[in-house]
Amino acid sequence: MGANSHQESFPWKHIIGFLLSLVLTFAALWVALSSGLPLKAVIGIIVLFAVIQASLQLFMFMHVNESDSGRMQTFNMMYSFFIAVVVVAGSIWVMQFVL
Amino acid sequence: MKWSEFFVTGEPLIYAADVAIVLTMIGIVFVLTYFKKWKWLWDEWLTTVDHKKIGVMYIICAVLMLFRGGVDALLMRAQLTAPNMKFLDAQHYNEIFTTHGTIMILFMAMPFIIGLMNIVVPLQIGARDVAFPYLNALSFWLFFFGALLFNISFVIGGSPDAGWTAYFPLAGNEFSHGVGNNYYAVALQISGIGTLMTGINFLVTILKMRAPGMTLMRMPMFTWTILITCVLIIFAFPVLTVALALMTFDRVFGTQFFTMANGGMSMLWANLFWIWGHPEVYIVILPSFGIFSEVVSTFAQKRLFGYKAMVGSIVGIAFLSFIVWVHHFFTMGAGPAVNSAFSITTMAIAIPTGVKVFNWLFTIRKGKIRFTTAMLWSLAFIPNFVIGGVTGVMLAMAAADYQYHNSYFLIAHFHYVLIAGTVFACFAGLHYWYPKMFGHILNERLGKWTFWLFMIGFNVCFFPMYFLGLMGMTRRMYTYSDGLGWTPLNVVATVGAVLMGIGFIVLCYNIYYSARYGERDMTGDPWNGRTLEWATASPPVHYNFPVTPVVEDIDAYWVMKKKYGGFHVKEEDLKPIHMPSNSGRPFWMSVAFFVAGFGLVFKWFALAIAGALFIVLGLILRSFEDDDGYYIPVDEIKRMERAARKGA
Ligand code: HEM
Ligand SMILES: [Cu+2]
């Protein structure tokens, strides 16, 4: 697979992405375990952290904006989003009878 | 843990297996040492990154697992032949149907398909290897050690016994003590990671490494099905990964995700399992459709009918396969709205599937058919699979499913789709591509014996089960009483199972016989093939194509033969070829996974951590590795080409 045209001497992007991911993960852990906030707020905050981290990784590790096949990427993202909704919303709907 | 619990004791069958395992291992070590083959094994196989060799190793494992799963099946059939049999007790029967189901799907069907795709896809698209050869080796070894971990459970610690679906709460600590279901969670996790990486690898390979001129709509149908299968793998397997991780936490660390007490939600497991599980069955059936498409068009000597409709229906099936999962548990009680919705989506799958069936029939129509073994498997697939499909639509009607659910009707249905679909396809693909893998043809006469024995045996075994199901026999029952009227049909079913067993033995003999006396394939194109894999030598030189072929249409090689009389390479066009280097790291990293997994199964955390450290070490070493592969000089290519084409 041809050489990456954005080759850097040191992988700064990866390191920064990695550190930020760690920070976000531990922040979520702290919010959930010892912040003392009400349950609804905790869930809201950790979902927010998760979304931030997912997008962070898309740019820092997966180079979404560096590819030349934009259409494929858009399609891919839309499909992932569709599956995520199916899995999460679908499960909640299906399992409603025991919730 | 006491040693008497570590080794499974008390069953004569298990002692026999212990002896057999020890003898086999001594035998293998002896042969390798006596013939001084250790270095050969390491250099040529254990460290290889060549997609063809990896594919061969997958298929060897799959055939071994077919044997293991088949023995399990025969044991179950023996137990059920007559009422009140004492051959297996309830616990042993539970363990056997669990290992049979899990092994057949995850360690037989999947690796067989993945093996064929490893061998064929890069050749069909005119590539020299997959996109990430090192990762490919890692995928294989993770699968291998995952399968090994699962298989040792029956002599060390005890087998899982909660069904291949491992439903909670039964599979949880509340009802299953012992380590059996830990094996299930950890072994499937390890091999599942390998499968996920294979999905990514082949998606990239197919999207990025096609020969010039091969647009998406000129790809061979098998490659198309693999592309879509990869999408299914990439989106379905993470769900399994997460579900198994939660299961492991519950079982090993005492969390309460799926428990009955403390707010756990045991039924959520079934939901997550089938969100993965239904796409999974399409992961093994779509490539089968691809294999049949290739074989049918080659031996009807016609272009595949309705190429675009075929592609459309694969995409449609893949899309639908993510929104039908509830049909596996209509009876759980989700209510009429949920059940109706999933009932409709499930029935909708019959439409694209029907389109494909008609396309195959139209491909055969007016073709000059050659009845080779591969073609016989493909022709038999159509009516048998239709029986499985029609009964599937019957099961899809939620209200009616309350009658069929978990009866032998279901057992018959899914064996009709899994055997007549996937297993027939694996056999068809094995006969079809065998010369490409090994340079000689599987004997056709023995092949036809296998076909008739297995195909007839299959129907004799499973057709009566539809009726047993309607008569009230439920799945996973280890015995039944006299006077229910089930005995005659059960006897018939067992006879069928034995016929299949004999068919399998003939296949194994055929492999041996053909290796010694089989017809050598000197042309590289024994079937008058249509796609690019037949443009290479049999077996192909390890770089596959001396120069990259140029594709002008669907059935690229067929067009080349018509226009230019074949795939010609001028020596002055040769350039040095860039190839990836072998590596031993995928192998030892997977050993580390095995060790860590074994530690987790037995809750020996020191061992688990030690294994995990080696995994991390492997990752670090790989990250700082600076190996860009090597170049094969032109003179060397010339020499290899002449050697490969000798006799052509
Ligand atoms: C080769 C001949 C085969 C025979 C004779 C056979 C026979 C059986 C029998 C007797 C059962 C248990 C029924 C019960 O007590 O509930 C069973 C279950 C099952 N079989 Fe097969 N089978 C064969 C091949 C296959 C293949 C090729 C696959 C998959 C690719 C497969 C997948 C399964 C699964 C998933 C189950 C359910 C296990 C469970 O209940 O957890 N079988 N089979
Ligand atoms: Cu399903």
Side-chain angles (χ1 to χ4, degrees):
Chain A
M1 300 223 46
N4 191 340
S5 48
H6 299 267
Q7 202 70 269
E8 292 170 49
S9 53
F10 193 77
W12 281 115
K13 256 184 145 172
H14 296 79
I15 304 274
I16 295 171
F18 182 58
L19 290 178
L20 283 176
S21 298
L22 284 180
V23 169
L24 283 163
T25 305
F26 282 107
L29 200 64
W30 179 80
V31 170
L33 291 182
S34 33
S35 71
L37 292 168
L39 185 65
K40 283 244 162 73
V42 169
I43 292 180
I45 293 175
I46 61 178
V47 167
L48 185 73
F49 282 175
V51 173
I52 297 178
Q53 186 169 156
S55 16
L56 190 84
Q57 298 198 357
L58 277 178
F59 286 97
M60 298 302 202
F61 303 157
M62 299 183 208
H63 314 279
V64 268
N65 51 344
E66 290 175 16
S67 147
D68 44 7
S69 43
R71 230 181 43 174
M72 202 92 90
Q73 297 289 4
T74 327
F75 181 77
N76 193 2
M77 303 283 255
M78 275 166 52
Y79 192 64
S80 318
F81 193 69
F82 167 74
I83 297 288
V85 170
V86 165
V87 170
V88 177
S91 294
I92 292 174
W93 186 45
V94 170
M95 299 310 293
Q96 200 123 60
F97 72 111
V98 279
L99 280 174
Chain B
M1 163 153 295
K2 292 189 290 291
W3 283 108
S4 59
E5 286 171 25
F6 186 72
F7 289 111
V8 177
T9 49
E11 282 275 350
L13 279 174
I14 301 281
Y15 291 132
D18 287 337
V19 174
I21 291 171
V22 171
L23 285 182
T24 315
M25 292 205 309
I26 294 175
I28 292 174
V29 171
F30 175 78
V31 168
L32 285 172
T33 313
Y34 186 80
F35 292 103
K36 299 199 172 66
K37 289 288 187 190
W38 284 104
K39 191 169 155 39
W40 165 84
L41 183 71
W42 180 257
D43 289 345
E44 296 288 318
W45 296 96
L46 302 191
T47 60
T48 187
V49 293
D50 180 341
H51 68 98
K52 302 176 288 296
K53 285 186 177 164
I54 290 177
V56 167
M57 291 193 289
Y58 266 116
I59 291 177
I60 292 171
C61 293
V63 172
L64 287 174
M65 288 296 100
L66 181 59
F67 173 73
R68 159 83 209 261
V71 171
D72 283 347
L74 284 174
L75 292 174
M76 287 188 289
R77 281 317 317 164
Q79 164 66 17
L80 293 176
T81 312
N84 300 317
M85 289 272 282
K86 297 272 179 326
F87 177 53
L88 302 173
D89 61 26
Q91 174 59 22
H92 202 177
Y93 191 87
N94 292 349
E95 293 178 8
I96 291 185
F97 71 66
T98 304
T99 53
H100 165 78
T102 315
I103 285 179
M104 280 297 198
I105 294 204
L106 287 142
F107 302 131
M108 190 287 286
M110 292 283 288
F112 216 129
I113 297 282
I114 293 180
L116 289 174
M117 88 193 210
N118 257 286
I119 293 163
V120 177
V121 166
L123 294 173
Q124 277 198 332
I125 63 175
R128 296 219 161 100
D129 206 321
V130 295
F132 311 113
Y134 174 94
L135 196 68
N136 200 24
L138 189 57
S139 290
F140 170 74
W141 288 110
L142 284 179
F143 147 72
F144 179 89
F145 283 104
L148 191 65
L149 190 61
F150 190 85
N151 272 280
I152 60 170
S153 68
F154 84 113
V155 287
I156 297 179
S159 291
D161 55 2
W164 89 282
T165 48
Y167 275 3
F168 280 82
L170 177 60
N173 283 333
E174 290 158 305
F175 296 96
S176 293
H177 316 288
V179 295
N181 285 293
N182 298 356
Y183 271 115
Y184 176 96
V186 177
L188 264 56
Q189 187 70 281
I190 293 175
S191 64
I193 297 170
T195 307
L196 185 55
M197 297 191 313
T198 300
I200 295 170
N201 208 340
F202 278 80
L203 184 89
V204 178
T205 305
I206 296 174
L207 287 181
K208 294 282 186 189
M209 294 176 61
R210 277 167 288 133
M214 185 178 280
T215 58
L216 285 178
M217 290 313 269
R218 283 182 186 165
M219 289 197 311
M221 194 48 63
F222 180 64
T223 300
W224 252 115
T225 57
I226 296 299
L227 176 70
I228 301 299
T229 302
C230 290
V231 175
L232 289 183
I233 291 178
I234 292 170
F235 287 103
F237 265 76
V239 181
L240 178 73
T241 306
V242 170
L244 287 174
L246 298 181
M247 175 189 250
T248 312
F249 273 78
D250 266 18
R251 289 198 53 89
V252 178
F253 303 113
T255 56
Q256 313 267 344
F257 291 108
F258 303 123
T259 52
M260 309 236 284
N262 301 324
M265 231 171 128
S266 48
M267 283 192 266
L268 185 61
W269 165 266
N271 181 70
L272 293 176
F273 181 88
W274 287 113
I275 289 180
W276 161 76
H278 191 86
E280 163 66 14
V281 301
Y282 280 86
I283 290 168
V284 296
I285 203 67
L286 285 181
S288 311
F289 289 169
I291 295 171
F292 292 128
S293 301
E294 301 288 339
V295 171
V296 162
S297 110
T298 302
F299 294 115
Q301 317 199 47
K302 278 174 66 190
R303 178 177 284 202
L304 190 66
F305 183 90
Y307 180 93
K308 286 199 181 115
M310 282 294 212
V311 173
S313 54
I314 304 167
V315 175
I317 293 175
F319 175 78
L320 287 171
S321 73
F322 271 101
I323 49 176
V324 297
W325 76 91
V326 175
H327 64 215
H328 294 276
F329 48 88
F330 282 144
T331 55
M332 204 160 80
V338 171
N339 278 4
S340 314
F342 282 90
S343 194
I344 291 168
T345 50
T346 304
M347 285 188 255
I349 289 200
I351 301 167
T353 316
V355 169
K356 299 186 76 72
V357 170
F358 282 108
N359 279 327
W360 288 311
L361 292 177
F362 280 121
T363 308
I364 296 166
R365 185 169 171 267
K366 291 193 176 164
K368 291 193 286 295
I369 299 177
R370 284 179 290 161
F371 291 97
T372 56
T373 311
M375 186 63 167
L376 287 180
W377 285 113
S378 310
L379 292 175
F381 148 77
I382 297 175
N384 283 304
F385 188 80
V386 167
I387 298 177
V390 169
T391 49
V393 177
M394 291 168 72
L395 287 156
M397 295 182 274
D401 184 59
Y402 274 72
Q403 281 300 315
Y404 309 130
H405 185 66
N406 274 3
S407 72
Y408 262 77
F409 190 87
L410 169 77
I411 298 280
H413 153 71
F414 72 64
H415 284 90
Y416 261 85
V417 284
L418 281 168
I419 295 185
T422 305
V423 176
F424 283 19
C426 292
F427 288 160
L430 188 70
H431 280 85
Y432 182 57
W433 284 307
Y434 205 81
K436 217 20 61 181
M437 298 177 214
F438 298 107
H440 59 267
I441 296 170
L442 275 180
N443 183 279
E444 280 285 303
R445 216 157 66 94
L446 289 170
K448 285 174 186 167
W449 269 100
T450 303
F451 167 74
W452 286 109
L453 282 166
F454 198 96
M455 201 273 290
I456 293 174
F458 160 68
N459 277 286
V460 172
C461 182
F462 290 101
F463 203 71
M465 290 191 192
Y466 283 118
F467 298 98
L468 281 171
L470 297 178
M471 288 156 87
M473 183 161 167
T474 54
R475 84 189 274 199
R476 296 177 178 172
M477 63 194 318
Y478 86 104
T479 191
Y480 50 94
S481 50
D482 214 349
L484 290 164
W486 300 348
T487 314
L489 288 180
N490 270 307
V491 173
V492 174
T494 303
V495 171
V498 171
L499 283 179
M500 276 190 273
I502 300 174
F504 178 76
I505 293 172
V506 177
L507 174 71
C508 295
Y509 176 68
N510 194 357
I511 290 172
Y512 161 79
Y513 177 88
S514 305
R516 294 204 62 171
Y517 312 109
E519 182 190 338
R520 307 289 128 168
D521 170 29
M522 307 310 269
T523 60
D525 182 20
W527 314 117
N528 196 7
R530 310 176 75 83
T531 39
L532 281 178
E533 71 269 34
W534 306 110
T536 61
S538 288
V541 196
H542 74 286
Y543 49 74
N544 295 350
F545 298 92
V547 296
T548 306
V550 177
V551 173
E552 296 181 16
D553 202 349
I554 302 175
D555 291 345
Y557 186 47
W558 185 260
V559 175
M560 271 181 205
K561 285 193 282 193
K562 290 275 114 76
K563 271 195 172 164
Y564 315 108
F567 174 53
H568 300 296
V569 179
K570 292 201 217 70
E571 290 205 333
E572 58 268 27
D573 290 346
L574 293 176
K575 291 198 189 68
I577 295 177
H578 184 206
M579 294 302 289
S581 329
N582 284 0
S583 171
R585 201 178 305 112
F587 179 80
W588 69 250
M589 265 178 84
S590 305
V591 174
F593 265 94
F594 179 85
V595 172
F598 195 78
L600 265 187
V601 166
F602 284 91
K603 303 192 198 176
W604 295 343
F605 295 119
L607 191 65
I609 292 171
L613 286 179
F614 272 94
I615 299 171
V616 174
L617 176 69
L619 293 173
I620 293 175
L621 286 176
R622 172 63 177 172
S623 302
F624 291 98
E625 187 174 47
D626 210 0
D627 180 356
D628 278 340
Y630 62 98
Y631 280 90
I632 312 175
V634 171
D635 288 338
E636 179 85 4
I637 304 173
K638 281 187 191 156
R639 203 178 52 70
M640 290 202 230
E641 280 304 301
R642 287 193 199 118
R645 293 287 175 175
K646 232 184 10 232

